[in-house]
């Protein structure tokens, strides 16, 4: 300890009465030796008892020039006189008084030991706090004795504040109303014992303050460039997943570019958002990877506590892995994020200290909900949380200044998307589960109800002028992808009816058109999610055409009658998009070749069947009608049908309707087309292997 530190410590020490251990009055706890000190045998004198006492006579005794007995808090003379016992401020005579070294060391050890006890019991790092800092909301560290009373009253863990501490993730404490319990003292409902004991059951790390500064910060060429790149993110992904506040992020951005040093959570958010935006804008992938690696330097610090900063960090990581082929699995990241948000209680309706805190929590949770539904349905996997377990309401349509503007705020589009995801979720759970298969009548009824909800959603969707593209074409895209999910063959509806076949075909063409429009203007996102949905829509068109061919073979009318040119252009668009994907991501070229081969088979079969129908019609027109001779009744004999002639294979997709059946082109077995019966297992396994899903 330095000489200056010793002097300050002695100044403070002179204000107290230090009685020797074993004196007539009980010594204060901080004057006792620390528990790790060596025990002293009975009868032996301790260093403290041999050390010189440091004391100062009170003002009353000094004025009377009488001996002061230094009793605390009042000496005997002041007690008899009925006056307040005061001591003079520390002066040279106190500062120069000698204080035993072992007494100072014992006090310092004692303070460190008590700080460690507090940290282990409550998770509060008091060593880093100044004296007098309020620690409300941390609760009583020794609350186990109150559990029986909590069970009896139906209450939760007691707390010194109505709201949980930041990062604790607990719900607000609400005790049951007085008199609501029966005379026996047992509540009408048992509490959630898991929440009461969750700190002890999970052995979680205590919440600790993050460092005030972060490591190196990557910067773009200028603040204007950084604001432009960040604006691209908020003008696209921000309308779908509003877990990051635009004004808050831009404020941190300006702070960084004016020389400020960000905190770890701000450091992580700044780098991961810019990395996502650089990928969206089709910029240099190496620059985006640079920002991503910089965000990883503070990711452990951003995730050290259970708070909104940790959930935001994981959501940013999930979005980046959705756009990049590097990084962890988005499926695993979303699973961890959903568990963290549930542990924090974000899925529950509860009270908050401010409206801003409540809306921030809602936006974070519903962004996670939206992303969870999208990825789960795309990969054919279970949802992260059931809708029945969610009680928190949707966010409000608040502007950045806090004013509410229904239909005209930055939250208008995200809120509308969240409403559709709720319908989407119920469709997915009804059709894609292992429950017993319902009757066709029940399926038709449920699909009718779902279709009414989806149509009503699209008709009532508000137009947001500030983002016209997202409030019109984006709504249409979401509408048709939801119809595809609803009408395609599913575990509980494996054989769709005519209505489903027609809806699948029409919706697939519209989905492909939306992607082709984005590709034509250079705004298509070359990510695995886009690849999956493009292939999904393309193979659905082929399946609908195969259903037409099957109906014709069975002498039934074709169920789907698309506009011929639009259908052919849609299929050709899928081939072009898949080939473009193959130039950017290894392995997709095999998928493009497979789709080209499948589409060629289907169109060849269609052309061949059309020629057979036309030839049959021509023969019937040439042959005159003759009376049928009477044939005596005979016993019925079942004859095997003659084998079908081979189907000519069109070598080029653009010439599929020009096949003349002369035999000059390769021939295939028509039964090979049956293998296209809408199976996505191979495709999903390919995507999982290529994109670490």
């Amino acid at each position: 300890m330095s000489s200056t530190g010793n002097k300050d410590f002695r100044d403070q020490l002179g204000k107290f009465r230090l009685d020797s251990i074993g004196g007539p009055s009980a010594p204060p706890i901080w004057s006792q030796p620390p528990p790790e000190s060596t025990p002293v045998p009975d009868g032996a004198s301790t260093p403290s008892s041999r050390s010189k006492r440091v004391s100062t006579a009170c003002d009353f005794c000094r004025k009377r020039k009488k001996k002061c007995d230094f009793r605390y808090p009042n000496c005997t003379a002041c007690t008899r006189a009925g006056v307040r016992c005061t001591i003079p401020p520390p002066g040279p005579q106190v500062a120069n008084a000698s204080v035993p070294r072992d007494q100072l060391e014992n006090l310092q050890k004692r303070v460190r030991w008590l700080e460690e006890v507090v940290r282990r019991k409550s998770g509060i790092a008091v060593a880093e706090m100044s004296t007098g800092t309020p620690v409300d909301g941390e609760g009583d560290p020794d609350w186990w004795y109150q559990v029986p009373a909590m069970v009896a009253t139906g209450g939760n863990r007691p707390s010194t504040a109505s709201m949980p501490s930041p990062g604790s993730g607990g719900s607000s404490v609400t005790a049951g109303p007085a008199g609501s319990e029966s005379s026996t003292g047992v509540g009408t409902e048992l509490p959630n014992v898991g929440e009461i004991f969750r700190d002890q059951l999970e052995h979680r790390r205590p919440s600790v303050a993050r460092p005030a500064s972060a490591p190196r910060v990557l910067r773009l060429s200028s603040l204007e460039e950084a604001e432009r790149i960040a604006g691209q993110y908020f003008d696209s992904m921000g309308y779908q997943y509003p877990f990051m506040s635009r004004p808050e992020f831009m404020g941190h951005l300006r702070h960084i570019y004016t020389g400020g040093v960000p905190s770890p959570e701000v450091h992580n958010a700044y780098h991961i958002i810019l990395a996502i935006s650089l990928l969206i804008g089709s910029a240099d992938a190496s620059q985006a990877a640079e920002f991503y690696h910089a965000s990883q330097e503070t990711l452990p610090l951003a995730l050290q506590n259970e708070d909104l900063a940790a959930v935001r960090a994981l959501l940013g990581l999930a979005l980046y892995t959705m756009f990049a082929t590097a990084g962890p699995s988005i499926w695993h990241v979303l699973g961890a994020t959903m568990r963290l948000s549930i542990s924090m209680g974000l899925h529950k309706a509860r009270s908050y200290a401010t409206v801003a805190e409540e809306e921030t929590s809602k936006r974070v949770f519903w962004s996670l909900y939206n992303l969870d539904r999208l990825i789960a349905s795309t990969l054919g996997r279970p949802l992260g949380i059931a809708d029945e377990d969610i009680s928190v309401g949707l966010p409000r349509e608040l502007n950045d200044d806090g004013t509410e503007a229904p239909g005209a705020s930055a939250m208008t589009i995200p809120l509308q998307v969240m409403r559709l995801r709720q319908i989407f979720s119920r469709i997915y759970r009804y059709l894609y589960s292992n429950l017993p298969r319902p009757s066709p009548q029940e399926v038709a009824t449920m699909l009718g109800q779902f279709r009414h909800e989806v149509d009503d959603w699209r008709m009532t969707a508000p137009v947001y002028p500030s983002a016209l593209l997202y409030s019109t074409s984006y709504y249409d895209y979401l509408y048709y992808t939801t119809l595809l999910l609803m009408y395609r063959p599913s575990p509980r509806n494996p054989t769709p009816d005519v209505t489903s076949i027609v809806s699948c075909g029409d919706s697939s063409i519209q989905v492909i058109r939306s992607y082709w429009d984005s590709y034509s203007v250079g705004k298509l996102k070359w990510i695995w999610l886009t690849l999956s949905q493009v292939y999904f829509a393309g193979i659905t068109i082929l399946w609908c055409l195969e259903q037409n061919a099957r109906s014709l073979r069975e002498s039934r009318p074709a169920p789907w009658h698309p506009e011929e040119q639009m259908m052919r252009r849609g299929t050709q668009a899928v081939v072009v998009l898949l080939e473009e994907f193959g130039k950017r991501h290894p392995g997709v070229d095999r998928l493009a070749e497979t789709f080209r081969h499948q589409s060629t088979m289907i169109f060849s079969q269609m052309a061949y069947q059309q020629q057979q129908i036309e030839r049959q019609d021509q023969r019937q027109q040439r042959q005159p009608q003759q009376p049928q001779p009477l044939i005596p009744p005979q016993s019925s004999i079942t004859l095997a049908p003659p084998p079908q002639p081979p189907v000519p294979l069109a070598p080029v997709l653009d010439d599929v309707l020009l096949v003349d059946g002369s035999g000059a082109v390769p021939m295939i077995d028509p039964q090979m087309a049956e293998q296209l019966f809408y199976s996505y297992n191979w495709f999903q396994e390919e995507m999982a292997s290529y994109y670490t899903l």
Side-chain angles (χ1 to χ4, degrees):
M1 180 179 292
S2 63
S3 60
T4 303
N6 285 332
K7 180 178 181 300
D8 295 339
F9 188 80
R10 289 196 298 270
D11 289 345
Q12 297 296 326
L13 194 62
K15 297 179 181 180
F16 300 95
R17 309 286 197 248
L18 298 183
D19 294 330
S20 61
I21 297 178
S25 60
I29 186 172
W30 41 263
S31 66
Q32 299 176 4
E36 62 268 16
S37 60
T38 305
V40 180
D42 295 339
S45 61
T46 62
S48 297
S49 63
R50 294 194 303 267
S51 62
K52 181 179 178 180
R53 285 175 49 182
V54 180
S55 57
T56 303
C58 68
D59 293 332
F60 184 73
C61 293
R62 292 179 62 195
K63 288 180 181 180
R64 295 174 64 242
K65 297 183 179 180
K66 298 291 184 180
K67 185 178 181 180
C68 183
D69 58 6
F70 309 113
R71 288 188 178 275
Y72 183 81
N74 283 350
C75 68
T76 304
C78 291
T79 301
R80 290 176 180 176
V83 297
R84 185 179 180 182
C85 187
T86 61
I87 61 174
Q93 72 278 8
V94 177
N96 296 330
S98 61
V99 179
R101 180 183 300 274
D102 59 346
Q103 194 171 23
L104 291 176
E105 293 177 353
N106 288 342
L107 287 174
Q108 293 168 355
K109 291 180 181 179
R110 184 72 176 181
V111 169
R112 287 195 296 266
W113 175 72
L114 291 175
E115 289 175 346
E116 181 64 18
V117 170
V118 173
R119 190 192 68 80
R120 289 181 177 274
K121 286 287 186 179
S122 63
I124 310 173
V126 293
E128 302 174 1
M129 298 180 179
S130 58
T131 304
T133 302
V135 291
D136 293 340
E138 300 297 339
D140 181 7
D142 293 325
W143 53 271
W144 295 94
Y145 65 94
Q146 301 186 35
V147 170
M150 294 157 60
V151 173
T153 59
N156 291 327
R157 172 178 172 176
S159 176
T160 58
S162 60
M163 288 303 299
S165 62
S168 63
S171 302
S172 58
V173 177
T174 55
S180 62
E181 293 82 12
S182 60
S183 59
T184 59
V186 178
T188 57
E189 295 182 1
L190 286 175
N192 189 333
V193 180
E195 289 189 357
I196 295 176
F197 291 102
R198 73 189 192 107
D199 291 339
Q200 299 295 328
L201 292 174
E202 298 178 8
H203 302 288
R204 295 179 305 167
R205 296 173 299 174
S207 297
V208 296
R210 295 182 176 92
S213 60
R216 64 185 181 94
V217 178
L218 296 181
R219 292 179 174 86
L220 296 175
S221 58
S222 63
L223 173 61
E224 292 73 17
E225 177 70 8
E227 290 179 335
R228 184 186 66 83
I229 296 296
Q232 292 179 354
Y233 169 85
F234 286 102
D235 291 339
S236 56
M237 303 306 297
Y239 284 122
Q240 303 176 45
Y241 312 104
F243 63 90
M244 190 68 65
S245 169
R246 185 169 190 160
E248 177 187 0
F249 182 87
M250 290 301 182
H252 292 315
L253 186 72
R254 287 187 288 271
H255 174 71
I256 291 174
Y257 278 79
T258 54
V261 180
S263 60
E265 60 271 27
V266 173
H267 177 279
N268 175 267
Y270 161 76
H271 287 93
I272 198 68
I273 294 300
L274 288 187
I276 296 171
S277 185
L278 289 170
L279 286 177
I280 293 175
S282 301
D284 185 9
S286 60
Q287 188 180 25
E290 223 179 309
F291 274 83
Y292 166 72
H293 291 304
S295 71
Q296 299 305 292
E297 297 177 3
T298 50
L299 182 61
L301 292 175
L303 300 180
Q304 73 178 9
N305 295 333
E306 287 191 5
D307 54 10
L308 289 179
V311 181
R312 282 177 168 181
L314 288 173
L315 284 174
L317 180 61
L319 285 183
Y320 179 83
T321 57
M322 186 170 69
F323 284 90
T325 56
S329 162
I330 187 175
W331 175 254
H332 296 157
V333 173
L334 285 179
T337 312
M338 183 63 74
R339 290 299 182 104
L340 175 59
S341 65
I342 293 174
S343 177
M344 294 173 57
L346 298 182
H347 65 298
K348 294 183 178 180
R350 54 193 179 99
S351 59
Y352 288 87
T354 62
V355 175
E357 182 182 353
E358 179 180 6
E359 290 304 307
T360 301
S361 300
K362 287 182 177 180
R363 294 183 183 188
V364 168
F365 174 77
W366 285 105
S367 298
L368 172 61
Y369 176 93
N370 187 5
L371 195 56
D372 172 76
R373 266 47 186 172
L374 175 63
I375 300 302
S377 61
T378 302
L379 299 178
R381 296 175 181 175
L383 305 177
I385 183 174
D387 290 79
E388 293 79 7
D389 296 329
I390 302 173
S391 60
V392 64
L394 293 174
R396 295 163 58 184
E397 295 187 58
L398 298 178
N399 285 317
D400 294 338
D401 57 359
T403 59
E404 192 164 7
S409 72
M411 280 299 297
T412 296
I413 295 177
L415 190 62
Q416 190 68 11
V417 175
M418 293 169 190
R419 292 193 180 107
L420 179 63
R421 291 301 183 199
Q422 290 180 308
I423 306 174
F424 185 96
S425 179
R426 289 188 287 109
I427 296 174
Y428 189 75
R429 292 192 61 193
Y430 178 78
L431 294 174
Y432 299 88
S433 67
N434 293 325
L435 295 175
R437 186 179 303 174
S439 63
Q441 294 77 14
E442 178 187 340
V443 172
T445 302
M446 291 301 300
L447 290 181
Q449 295 177 4
F450 288 141
R451 179 62 182 264
H452 177 75
E453 292 185 50
V454 176
D455 290 346
D456 184 66
W457 172 86
R458 184 61 189 93
M459 295 297 296
T460 58
V463 176
Y464 184 48
S466 302
L468 189 62
L469 174 64
Y470 273 87
S471 59
T472 53
S473 61
Y474 183 55
Y475 286 161
D476 292 335
Y477 163 77
L478 293 177
Y479 172 77
Y480 288 114
T481 54
T482 304
L483 293 184
L484 265 182
L485 176 84
M486 182 169 61
Y487 286 117
R488 67 185 173 106
S490 58
R492 304 192 73 201
N493 185 29
T495 54
D497 56 9
V498 174
T499 302
S500 298
I501 296 174
V502 174
S503 300
C504 276
D506 294 341
S507 300
S508 299
I509 292 178
Q510 296 299 327
V511 170
I512 294 172
R513 286 186 62 181
S514 66
Y515 279 118
W516 185 260
D517 292 341
S518 299
Y519 170 72
S520 301
V521 296
K523 293 185 177 180
L524 185 68
K525 299 180 178 66
W526 301 101
I527 61 177
W528 67 267
L529 189 62
T530 302
L531 170 63
S532 173
Q533 293 175 343
V534 167
Y535 182 83
F536 179 82
I539 200 69
T540 301
I541 292 179
L542 300 186
W543 177 78
C544 293
L545 294 177
E546 200 276 333
Q547 296 302 305
N548 282 354
R550 175 176 297 188
S551 298
L552 294 176
R553 289 196 302 269
E554 297 174 356
S555 300
R556 292 184 291 108
W560 187 38
H561 301 280
E563 201 278 323
E564 186 74 23
Q565 189 176 12
M566 182 180 298
M567 181 264 297
R568 293 188 62 216
R569 287 179 177 176
T571 308
Q572 187 67 39
V574 175
V575 175
V576 174
L577 292 177
L578 291 180
E579 290 178 346
E580 290 295 322
F581 264 105
K583 299 176 182 178
R584 292 168 169 81
H585 301 292
V588 183
D589 52 348
R590 186 158 67 103
L591 187 65
E593 182 61 30
T594 301
F595 182 83
R596 176 185 286 274
H597 178 66
Q598 293 171 338
S599 59
T600 301
M601 289 193 304
I602 290 295
F603 279 102
S604 298
Q605 188 177 16
M606 288 176 52
Y608 180 76
Q609 288 181 342
Q610 184 66 28
Q611 289 178 356
Q612 295 298 318
I613 293 175
E614 292 176 355
R615 291 177 180 177
Q616 185 177 1
D617 293 340
Q618 292 176 359
R619 286 195 298 267
Q620 291 178 354
Q621 293 176 1
R622 293 174 183 174
Q623 294 179 356
Q625 296 290 336
Q626 297 181 358
Q628 297 291 337
L630 296 178
I631 302 176
Q634 299 178 356
S635 60
S636 60
I637 301 176
T638 302
L639 300 177
Q644 296 183 0
V647 179
L649 175 63
V652 182
L653 185 62
D654 292 334
D655 300 331
V656 291
L657 298 181
L658 303 179
V659 177
D660 57 4
S662 62
V665 295
M667 313 300 288
I668 66 170
D669 185 353
Q671 299 301 322
M672 289 181 61
E674 299 293 334
Q675 300 176 5
L676 295 175
F677 189 70
Y678 218 60
S679 173
Y680 300 99
N681 294 334
W682 175 84
F683 171 70
Q684 290 176 349
E685 291 176 0
E686 288 292 316
M687 293 301 100
S689 61
Y690 289 136
Y691 298 98
T692 65
L693 298 172

